[in-house]
Amino acid sequence: MIRGKVVIAQDICKGCELCITSCPQESLGLSDKINIKGYRFVELVKDNCTGCVNCALVCPDAAITVYRQRKEVFKANQNMKKAV
Amino acid sequence: MIRGKVVIAQDICKGCELCITSCPQESLGLSDKINIKGYRFVELVKDNCTGCVNCALVCPDAAITVYRQRKEVFKANQNMKKAV
Amino acid sequence: MKLPPITNGFEIVYKKPDTLTDTPMHYCPGCGHGVVHRVLMEVVDEMKIQDKTIGVAPVGCSVFAYNYMNVDMQEAAHGRATAVATGIKRVLPDRFVFTYQGDGDLAAIGTGETVHTVNRGENILIVFINNGVYGMTGGQMAPTTLLGMKTTTSPYGREAASAGFPLKITNLITQLPGALYVTRQAVHEPNAVRRLKKAVRLAFEYQLLKKGTCFIEVVSNCPSGWKMTPQESNKWMEENMFPMYPLGDLKVPSQTMN
Amino acid sequence: MKLPPITNGFEIVYKKPDTLTDTPMHYCPGCGHGVVHRVLMEVVDEMKIQDKTIGVAPVGCSVFAYNYMNVDMQEAAHGRATAVATGIKRVLPDRFVFTYQGDGDLAAIGTGETVHTVNRGENILIVFINNGVYGMTGGQMAPTTLLGMKTTTSPYGREAASAGFPLKITNLITQLPGALYVTRQAVHEPNAVRRLKKAVRLAFEYQLLKKGTCFIEVVSNCPSGWKMTPQESNKWMEENMFPMYPLGDLKVPSQTMN
Amino acid sequence: MEHTPGTSEIRLMKGNEALAEAAIRAGLQAYFGYPITPQSEVLEYLAVHMPKRGGVVLQAESELAAINMVFGAAGAGARVMTSSSGPGISLMQEGISYMASAELPCLIVNVQRGGPGLGTIQPSQGDYFQATKGGGHGDYHMIVLAPSSVQEMADFVFESFRLADKYLTPVMILSDGALGQMMEKVALPPEGSLPFIEKPWATTGKKPGQKRRIITSLFMQPEEMEEVNLRLQTKYRLIEKQEVRYEALETDDAEIVLVAFGLAARICEKALTLAREKGFKVGLLRPISLYPFPSKVFASLATNAEMFLVVEMNAGQMVEDVKLAVEGKRPVHFKGRMGGMIPSPEEILSEIETVIENEQVNT
Amino acid sequence: MEHTPGTSEIRLMKGNEALAEAAIRAGLQAYFGYPITPQSEVLEYLAVHMPKRGGVVLQAESELAAINMVFGAAGAGARVMTSSSGPGISLMQEGISYMASAELPCLIVNVQRGGPGLGTIQPSQGDYFQATKGGGHGDYHMIVLAPSSVQEMADFVFESFRLADKYLTPVMILSDGALGQMMEKVALPPEGSLPFIEKPWATTGKKPGQKRRIITSLFMQPEEMEEVNLRLQTKYRLIEKQEVRYEALETDDAEIVLVAFGLAARICEKALTLAREKGFKVGLLRPISLYPFPSKVFASLATNAEMFLVVEMNAGQMVEDVKLAVEGKRPVHFKGRMGGMIPSPEEILSEIETVIENEQVNT
Amino acid sequence: MTTAHEIIIAGFGGQGVLSMGQILSYAAMVEGKEISWMPSYGPEMRGGTANCTVIVSDVRISSPILSKYDSAIILNQPSLDKFADHVKPGGLLLYEKSTIINPPTRSDIEIIGISAVAEAHKLTSKQVANMVLLGAFLSRRPIVSLENVVKALKQVLPAHRQHLLPINEQALKRGKELVNELIGESV
Amino acid sequence: MTTAHEIIIAGFGGQGVLSMGQILSYAAMVEGKEISWMPSYGPEMRGGTANCTVIVSDVRISSPILSKYDSAIILNQPSLDKFADHVKPGGLLLYEKSTIINPPTRSDIEIIGISAVAEAHKLTSKQVANMVLLGAFLSRRPIVSLENVVKALKQVLPAHRQHLLPINEQALKRGKELVNELIGESV
Ligand SMILES: Cc1ncc(C[n+]2csc(CCOP(=O)(O)OP(=O)(O)O)c2C)c(N)n1
Ligand SMILES: Cc1ncc(C[n+]2csc(CCOP(=O)(O)OP(=O)(O)O)c2C)c(N)n1
Ligand code: SF4
Ligand code: SF4
Ligand code: SF4
Ligand code: SF4
Ligand code: SF4
Ligand code: SF4
Ligand SMILES: [Mg+2]
Ligand SMILES: [Mg+2]
């Protein structure tokens, strides 16, 4: 499976949890900490993000940036696995 | 044919001629005279009115009153004719 | 008006309704407004509801409607007749309340009030005189002016690209669940007048049901604004207005009442 | 926002559009307004039309929309956004002009402007956020509030008999010949957002045709006004709002352009 | 004021809510309005309480619709009101002019916020001119009452309905966001304490044999329209004679008289205390009826006081009426804050000190 | 006035038409309006002539829509105007307040008719307060120019656009039905005689690297809103200093000075002639800019003249500004006709005789 | 020694009183005079009375609205009733006779009644009674020349009505003649 | 010898500052005092700061808006920064410690910081930190009795929240104790 990452702007996040609901991987969760505005913010809680972008699409505060493994890298890795 | 009569309020009539157009008997016509408002008014020009009410219905100024022979009278007349 | 004595054996089969005042109407010769006033009052007379009827006059040629229709009336600001009628009906829910409005009044400046009054299903009757022009102010373009039609403010003929399309507001409000009875009528010939009268009668009767708004559009003429004789104007109306604004019922209660 | 360095081999597949400012949005957690702002700006970015786009903000929660969308913007009086947009578009016909309006703004006080702007077929995009409530002023009833729904001004639930029916203004304006493209979308889940973006893209592209008004309704939530969590609000929206305001296209250009 | 017979109930309420509750107790039969901060509580309170107690509450599609619904209901004889703030009141100007012309009684509440434009929702007194000089077209006035406490928010509702019915005129309560939002104790008279009067002119349906009623503001012939205007002006002269209301505090020995209405007067009262503590002979005149303006009282004040200091939460509006009343006999100074800013008592105190100093330098 | 370079063309025109033609020649780019008597000729004339000469004419669905279209077009940098009368102008009050707050230039023409309410379509000056004190909410002013001839109907259009652009403010031409409907000779400057200025603040699309433009009247923080208000007030003080306009006729030796604007001033001019023929030393002061009001000139007049007689086609509105300017130094009398009635020169003459007599009795 | 001439023209709407005033005004403009033409105006619907005040002057005109006139040209009874008393002593009152039941009686002014409508009918079916009256008026008060009135007409008439120029000119001349005949007769 | 007590209560929206002021006001009403409660107000959306001015007095209250206060009850840093200097000399500044980074430093007033939020959490999951603070405040400024505050609560809480009465009462008392402990410690 292709690997992804999300970076969440913690000071912008309002903890609405909509990204959490929309993540097919259940990769996201609310932090116990509180940001400068008093909201519990969201963070990656599992390292299984696929970079599907769902979370970013539903985020009302444009707080999420999504990264994904480059195709070449992914393929190279796949090939490596196969090779192994 | 049943007989009718119309009475036109000449001071109210604005000479729009809509009644003239709508009279199936062509009983109505514009007078040569002019009323206090400067309009040529409408009058009965033929004695063949049937009291069909058409003219009154379309008159925008409610200037027309329509009379018709009572049914009894009409029937009596009819009978008289027949008798004759 | 004193009626002259008539040969015995005759009876009156048509006279103007008692609820129409004797004040001569200020309308131009052949203007449809007068017919609609009369028909409304015929129904009020027939239903014997003069004491329960309150009318609202618009701003437009019929601004003086209250001089002719002999019922209690209020004169509303331009476009606000249905808001005024709402105010009246809400505090006097057992009265018959109607507005009488032109196309500038109802379909231009009053669009918001028209849509929301019907959407609330106010139990009133809205009488809408569509003559395709602003009569009172001298023949300017109305929302209902036909494409290509020349008015003082569309001197080269109405163009859709800059002035938009003839607005069929009656069709719009028909969609609203608050609309109980919607019909489009005319007064250009005797049978049309007869049909209008039936519609008005129905509308007043429906008002007792408290099931929504009744809306009667009357496609009418404006000989002065159109710069035509009354006859020409009726002919032009039949040939040009009716195709755009076809006569007939748009919604009848059975459709909405079950 | 500075982005942290990421392991090599990764690339950015989603980041907020450049045309969205870095100003934190003042909306309540989970409010749909933010998503719609972002999607609009994504399209402006993609089409590279920031220098040609002029937006009009309403009076409503999105009154500060101009703080977030990094394009030239005007803030209109309550309900008058489409009139303001008309003024802009008429004098700058080659710009992309859009309004952004709530249901109170567009479908209550602005009804007249909405209907007439679309009827004129102004070549603008109207974005209409239907959250069934007046968010900004504290959760009063909107024209689109559902029957039975409790708000601060319908404390016993909206009743049709006194407050009228939920107004489907999008359906109304669809009827107008000036409407070129009319669609109803949402932002409650990723695919809905994707669909909205496509619609926005189309609408901006259609604006070049100068063939009429594009109108996008977004059925949205108001967690604060509805007194729900964001998740609850989205669920409630799906279950209650969507049946009344079903998503999808109401009019696409092919229908009107031949 | 003689309008609160019977025993009253004491509650702690927001100004907006007290006003709404008072309206119900004053026999309000219909309310038409549209939400706008800082007055939405009026509509919200009525939406909760009117249905239980009989009467119409309708959230209109706009302020424009609201004022015209008020027109209709007033014309039909109902005790009726609307409320709004800044932009919404501006939208009602045409309707208000119509009601003044048609001589219809009603209550219009303006809970002022900072303008112009969309402005801010913070308290302001920037709509004084609009209220008192007639923001609509033509020559007309409303009676304008300016409460300065939650109690007066309630009391003036009774007073307004009474005056509206008496003079057949729209009456405005000119309040502000602070008075609308703050809570104070308020004594509320029981329901039914304001009698209804006959309104034979109301359109309720023409009874057989009676003359029918027409409510209009159209008088095409200028002669006729001038007649109507003369009737209105006669009424306004009467109102100016009979309905002036003000409150004078410690003006007897005052060398400097503060003039302020509404919230600003409350703040001036505090400033007065502070100033008196410092030994300044300060008084306060609070116009309660802004129209009719208490012009006459200034004539007598001007004989004792050395100067006036008008304090308003605007750029200087009532100060014009004060100057017109003082007729140049004494200097009239002005201190204003704008756009939702509220002057503090200390700020007024220091203004008092400044003007006293300056006048001493000048003379 | 320096705005009419080039040779001008002389025509016989209605005031409304002269104004419309002047607007085109002054570079009008967009007009948004709605018909209402007695000003519909403005829209009608433009509908005929604007399309040929480039530019937008749009009949809006209402005056409310019209003023907000004006807002949008002005914000987009266009030279733009609207026109209406009484009820229609009332409907624009919210929009005018917004434009004043957002500091947008535009021209609003009020061809006054008799009010209040639907009133009559006959000429009136009943909207003076609304125009000069701000009929909308909040503290703001428009520059208000009052023409008294068809020539000025045209001239003031140029002047208005120039002032609007210079001060970033709505400007109103306060005319009346008579001036709108009457024909006189008018000299019209050629097209293009009023230059366009840069409007870097206009929303025309954010160019790369440039700051984007936001046009708003919302300033939620009261501190910020007060800033805006202070800026506006500073502007108004500047306008009051720089843009006062009036005409003085035979005031040098005048014992009684007539004060009138617009049509009333024309009638007073005739009354002045009649009075001078009778040996009365009468002068005429005609305020041209109603805001800023020419207050200062009264100070100097008050040293010579024994009294003032203000003549208005209303119940007495400008008379307040005159009194404020005269500061009680001389008696200020008032003669008004209302609701579309126009005073005749003879009527004014007899008023002159009356007040002179009364003052002599009094003193 | 007033250099201005102040005229009221009044009748039913549709009798051409406003355009009569306008043509007079245009003619005066051709002569380089100051002009003020002030119509009564009302809602655009037909009927009712109409009038206009025309002032032709060598100097700046003050009030465009007057209550006393040097001349009155009157086309119907209501207007006659309204304005007869407003003619200044020594002034001129010219009226169209056909619909006047109570003719004016003042002795301190010059009063001329002509049958302009009848004359117009003789000339043509088109309505040029107003030009007959204008011709008659100018015969007694030559404040502008007939040639300039014709020039004005040429300017004012829209293209599709230019063919009516001769008949208008005839009407003007007929009016002049009529008065001359009358004056010959009566004065 | 002022008979009035002038208080500012300030914090984030949602921390219950407005209701704290209201409950104090109701209690004062129970005691027959004059009251004025003046909230800051803004658009109804969440976030931002909120405050209210409460005046409790034996006589008619003049200005409901003040710039100097006898007491301040502060729940967050921005409010502390804004209002610390506005406490009259000799006055009381009570604040919630947890989020305060820069505590107040004035020496001419009494300053008390308590951990109301933490205490509230100890008592319950419900937000009663404001009641802890109110209890603490009343311990130093007994302008109304605790019993009357409880009475007020009883009146104010809607039916479905009446069960929260005991926990609120506990919180009030805990606040009082806290301060007493503190005073015992430090002063
Ligand atoms: C606020 C306002 N705007 C404009 C007008 C001027 N006005 C009077 S009637 C009218 C239009 C009337 O047209 P319509 O409603 O179609 O009625 P009609 O005269 O054709 O019967 C207008 C624009 C007004 N009185 N008030
Ligand atoms: C003329 C006028 N009336 C009322 C208001 C108050 N007001 C501000 S926003 C709003 C309603 C906003 O509701 P909506 O358009 O649905 O937007 P939302 O906040 O729900 O996004 C109202 C009534 C105003 N500012 N101006
Ligand atoms: S990108 Fe997809 S998988 Fe990754 S966190 Fe977001 S929603 Fe989950
Ligand atoms: S959707 Fe955005 S704001 Fe909401 S919790 Fe996720 S990151 Fe935070
Ligand atoms: S009643 Fe019928 S037949 Fe008689 S005149 Fe009228 S239309 Fe003709
Ligand atoms: S329809 Fe009526 S107004 Fe018209 S001509 Fe006939 S009678 Fe006269
Ligand atoms: S102008 Fe038109 S609508 Fe008005 S009365 Fe005349 S014909 Fe009828
Ligand atoms: S009040 Fe509603 S619409 Fe407004 S920001 Fe909050 S959630 Fe969004
Ligand atoms: Mg019409
Ligand atoms: Mg909404």
Side-chain angles (χ1 to χ4, degrees), chain C residues 66 69-72 75 95, chain E residues 61 204-205 212-213 215:
Chain C
Y66 54 74
M69 297 196 265
N70 194 11
V71 292
D72 276 6
E75 203 290 307
R95 301 303 196 283
Chain E
E61 61 271 31
T204 54
R212 73 198 176 102
R213 280 72 56 109
I215 288 177

Side-chain angles (χ1 to χ4, degrees), chain E residues 28-228:
Chain E
L28 181 69
Q29 290 166 313
Y31 172 93
F32 304 96
Y34 189 80
I36 186 169
T37 311
Q39 69 77 44
S40 299
E41 293 84 1
V42 178
L43 168 57
E44 291 170 349
Y45 188 95
L46 291 172
V48 173
H49 296 278
M50 275 282 266
K52 298 183 212 157
R53 289 148 88 177
V56 175
V57 186
L58 182 57
Q59 178 175 329
E61 61 271 31
S62 69
E63 292 87 352
L64 212 47
I67 190 70
N68 286 288
M69 290 171 183
V70 167
F71 186 106
R79 188 162 283 170
V80 55
M81 72 181 273
T82 185
S83 61
S84 188
S85 182
I89 298 285
S90 287
L91 288 174
M92 294 184 184
Q93 292 307 318
E94 186 203 27
I96 293 174
S97 172
Y98 267 71
M99 292 194 77
S101 185
E103 300 190 75
L104 292 180
C106 74
L107 168 56
I108 300 157
V109 180
N110 181 356
V111 182
Q112 292 169 97
R113 53 191 247 173
L118 188 48
T120 165
I121 56 180
Q122 298 307 314
S124 163
Q125 301 183 323
D127 305 347
Y128 177 93
F129 274 150
Q130 187 191 51
T132 60
K133 307 282 170 190
H137 57 288
D139 289 290
Y140 73 90
H141 283 289
M142 289 182 282
I143 296 177
V144 183
L145 302 179
S148 77
S149 64
V150 172
Q151 183 64 55
E152 286 186 346
M153 289 286 276
D155 287 346
F156 289 3
V157 170
F158 287 81
E159 201 52 9
S160 297
F161 282 131
R162 200 177 59 75
L163 291 169
D165 281 352
K166 179 169 176 193
Y167 294 101
L168 297 180
T169 177
V171 175
M172 176 172 275
I173 292 186
L174 191 68
S175 178
D176 67 65
L179 288 166
Q181 297 297 324
M182 70 188 277
M183 290 179 112
E184 290 187 315
K185 285 201 298 193
V186 53
L188 290 161
E191 226 150 309
S193 44
L194 184 68
F196 288 91
I197 60 160
E198 284 285 306
K199 297 183 173 172
W201 45 263
T203 57
T204 54
K206 174 201 177 308
K207 297 290 152 311
Q210 285 185 357
K211 262 194 78 179
R212 73 198 176 102
R213 280 72 56 109
I214 295 170
I215 288 177
T216 185
S217 68
L218 171 68
F219 306 95
M220 202 51 112
Q221 292 310 318
E223 291 80 7
E224 211 188 336
M225 186 78 237
E226 189 171 51
E227 273 302 317
V228 172

Side-chain angles (χ1 to χ4, degrees), chain D residues 169-229:
Chain D
I169 193 150
T170 307
N171 296 55
L172 281 197
I173 62 91
T174 300
Q175 284 203 356
L176 300 171
L180 178 68
Y181 172 51
V182 183
T183 187
R184 189 183 281 123
Q185 302 292 337
V187 291
H188 62 304
E189 48 94 1
N191 282 329
V193 179
R194 289 186 181 99
R195 281 191 298 271
L196 172 64
K197 185 162 163 189
K198 273 200 201 108
V200 171
R201 172 94 197 201
L202 276 177
F204 272 111
E205 282 168 356
Y206 290 148
Q207 200 165 140
L208 289 168
L209 300 176
K210 311 212 166 170
K211 295 246 174 181
T213 310
C214 295
F215 191 103
I216 302 179
E217 172 175 344
V218 182
V219 182
S220 190
N221 63 350
C222 176
S224 295
W226 299 356
K227 307 201 189 321
M228 295 178 191
T229 68

Side-chain angles (χ1 to χ4, degrees), chain C residues 141 147 154 158-166, chain D residues 90 119-120, chain F residues 58-59:
Chain C
M141 182 174 60
L147 290 181
S154 59
R158 180 179 191 164
E159 264 185 71
S162 66
F165 298 85
Chain D
R90 290 282 174 135
N119 192 55
R120 283 190 307 266
Chain F
L58 181 57
Q59 178 175 329

